[in-house]
Amino acid sequence: MSVKFDTQCLSCGPEAIAQATLLIRAGQVVGVPTETVYGLAADATRPEAVQRIYEAKGRPAHNPLIVHLPASWASLEQLVAKGLVDGTRLGSRERELASLLMQTYWPGPLTLILPRGPALPTSVAAGLPTLGFRVPQHAGFLGLLESCQLPLAAPSANRSNRISPTEAAHVMAELRGRIPLILDGGPAPVGVESTIVAMDRGGALRILRYGGVSREDLESTSGQVVSSLEMNLAQTVLIEAPGMMREHYAPSKPTLLLRPDGLQAFAARIRSLGPLRQIALLSFGQRADLAEGLLPPEASLVECELPLDSKQAAQLLFKTLRDLDSSPADAIVVILPQDLSRELWPAINDRLTRASARWSS
Ligand code: TXA
Ligand code: MG
């Protein structure tokens, strides 16, 4: 796609929202702040607007989008009445559970997979019979959704397979010239994408992508054990969550993970990179000592530490990866904590595993 816009970036106030509304009503694409990561929004009901999202991102057509809704539409009845969700394909237990999750987590970082209704084109769902829906929590994006009175399709506002943007400047760096407008709503407070959950006929919940809502929270809300789609790095594309590419969120520099239980594998991998002059070492809390003796002795180290609190770490994760990727270091080494099972650690682990996938096989 050629450069065609002189991309503007405006603070996300009433005037900017009015301008964004006009663009979206005209079928254009706008960069928007959300509480998770910045998104690339367009009218989900218009195939040509949806097509522009895929073009601006360079996204493969088999990767479905998430549809964002105004807060005033946040009930299953309304989504069915508006033709966005096909209620005839939901059992009674699924309806109950969907309503409970909407009441508990919307607005917020939870995406629910539901049967796609007739008001939404197949392209927004990449041809699937289902689609992800969420009501975001960012006041600026909610203002835009209310102003448009439309469901807005919005993937993360990065070029396909790159690191998701958590600030307006990141969107500019990714998409300058490819979209007309970016709304600047400040740094995204959650910092990783929404948790995506699917329900089966009996109402069993499954996490398709870890994100801003933890598994423990979903379990206490639903009163059931919530399973997850375990990442299978042997596969490039997972059948159930078609967008969950093995290689994703990728920095352009070699990125290796150092897990406390995988020191030897790490040592072999870093040797395979050849001589390194400088390594950026990212750790959570004070675990940088774990790398001692495992890094090439000739390399100088630039250490960077994120908090051991998973919410705080998630908030800064993508910005930190982006900064390290543009630093003079030849490689990025991330030291992971031992226990990644709770809070936002599964989401952080997932993003970092994908970020390093290219250099891990
Ligand atoms: O936090 C978020 O969810 C951000 C902000 C902008 O809202 N959006 C986001 O969108 O992360 P995106 O396009 O980067 O990721 C959407 C993912 C797809 O990759 C796909 O895995 C999943 O949503 N998805 C969408 N529809 C699906 C469906 N019917 N079945 C399974 N997965 C689906
Ligand atoms: Mg994305």
Side-chain angles (χ1 to χ4, degrees):
M1 179 184 149
S2 57
V3 171
K4 29 178 214 187
F5 295 104
D6 180 13
T7 309
Q8 265 191 298
C9 182
L10 299 175
S11 175
C12 189
E15 278 173 30
I17 288 177
Q19 195 171 325
T21 304
L22 289 177
L23 283 165
I24 282 176
R25 293 230 176 97
Q28 289 297 338
V29 175
V30 174
V32 296
T34 92
E35 80 281 24
T36 57
V37 299
Y38 273 68
L40 197 55
D43 181 351
T45 66
R46 280 168 66 177
E48 72 278 15
V50 170
Q51 183 55 31
R52 287 198 178 102
I53 295 181
Y54 282 94
E55 277 170 20
K57 264 187 84 98
R59 182 174 182 125
H62 60 74
N63 192 349
L65 305 177
I66 290 174
V67 172
H68 298 71
L69 309 159
S72 57
W73 299 11
S75 73
L76 187 58
E77 293 69 30
Q78 285 200 72
L79 299 188
V80 170
K82 289 179 188 296
L84 302 175
V85 170
D86 179 358
T88 64
R89 287 192 280 139
L90 284 171
S92 61
R93 182 70 192 117
E94 286 169 284
R95 285 168 179 271
E96 268 171 44
L97 195 55
S99 295
L100 175 66
L101 293 173
M102 288 175 189
Q103 279 160 23
T104 311
Y105 294 105
W106 286 0
L110 186 80
T111 295
L112 267 177
I113 302 292
L114 293 167
R116 178 176 53 85
L120 292 168
T122 53
S123 60
V124 79
L128 292 177
T130 54
L131 194 52
F133 294 89
R134 83 177 188 103
V135 175
Q137 204 166 28
H138 192 286
F141 193 18
L142 284 174
L144 178 64
L145 285 156
E146 286 302 338
S147 163
C148 293
Q149 285 295 302
L150 286 169
L152 299 183
S156 51
N158 49 285
R159 302 280 281 273
S160 195
N161 289 345
R162 302 209 19 197
I163 303 171
S164 302
T166 53
E167 294 180 10
H170 303 163
V171 183
M172 191 59 108
E174 294 279 325
L175 297 169
R176 183 193 291 273
R178 300 168 82 97
I179 57 174
L181 176 65
I182 299 165
L183 299 181
D184 185 351
V190 176
V192 289
E193 293 84 347
S194 59
T195 298
I196 303 181
V197 297
M199 294 174 291
D200 71 14
R201 264 301 200 179
L205 272 187
R206 211 141 33 103
I207 295 177
L208 301 187
R209 175 179 74 184
Y210 279 108
V213 172
S214 71
R215 179 207 293 257
E216 307 86 88
D217 283 350
L218 290 170
E219 291 188 336
S220 85
T221 306
S222 64
Q224 57 169 283
V225 173
V226 174
S227 62
S228 66
L229 183 71
E230 289 312 328
M231 203 182 342
N232 182 350
L233 290 180
Q235 290 183 337
T236 306
V237 178
L238 294 166
I239 308 303
E240 265 189 289
M244 300 306 277
M245 312 303 179
R246 173 179 176 267
E247 288 177 21
H248 207 337
Y249 313 98
S252 57
K253 287 190 178 147
T255 302
L256 298 186
L257 303 189
L258 176 52
R259 299 182 189 274
D261 59 357
L263 302 186
Q264 280 184 343
F266 172 82
R269 244 172 239 140
I270 195 144
R271 271 199 304 276
S272 74
L273 294 181
L276 297 169
R277 273 171 303 127
Q278 193 182 94
I279 295 174
L281 194 60
L282 172 62
S283 63
F284 299 88
Q286 289 149 353
R287 292 304 306 259
D289 56 313
L290 203 66
E292 256 167 45
L294 293 173
L295 301 176
E298 76 280 2
S300 65
L301 298 184
V302 179
E303 292 188 29
C304 173
E305 192 181 309
L306 285 176
L308 199 49
D309 175 292
S310 69
K311 282 194 177 168
Q312 292 173 17
Q315 190 177 33
L316 297 168
L317 180 71
F318 287 145
K319 175 186 165 47
T320 304
L321 282 181
R322 211 170 257 278
D323 289 348
L324 296 181
D325 203 25
S326 56
S327 78
D330 309 308
I332 302 170
V333 169
V334 187
I335 304 180
L336 285 168
Q338 184 89 43
D339 183 3
L340 297 164
S341 64
R342 279 191 295 271
E343 300 171 354
L344 297 200
W345 288 116
I348 294 172
N349 185 28
D350 171 88
R351 304 307 187 271
L352 286 171
T353 302
R354 290 177 208 284
S356 65
R358 194 184 307 167
W359 294 280
S360 299
S361 48

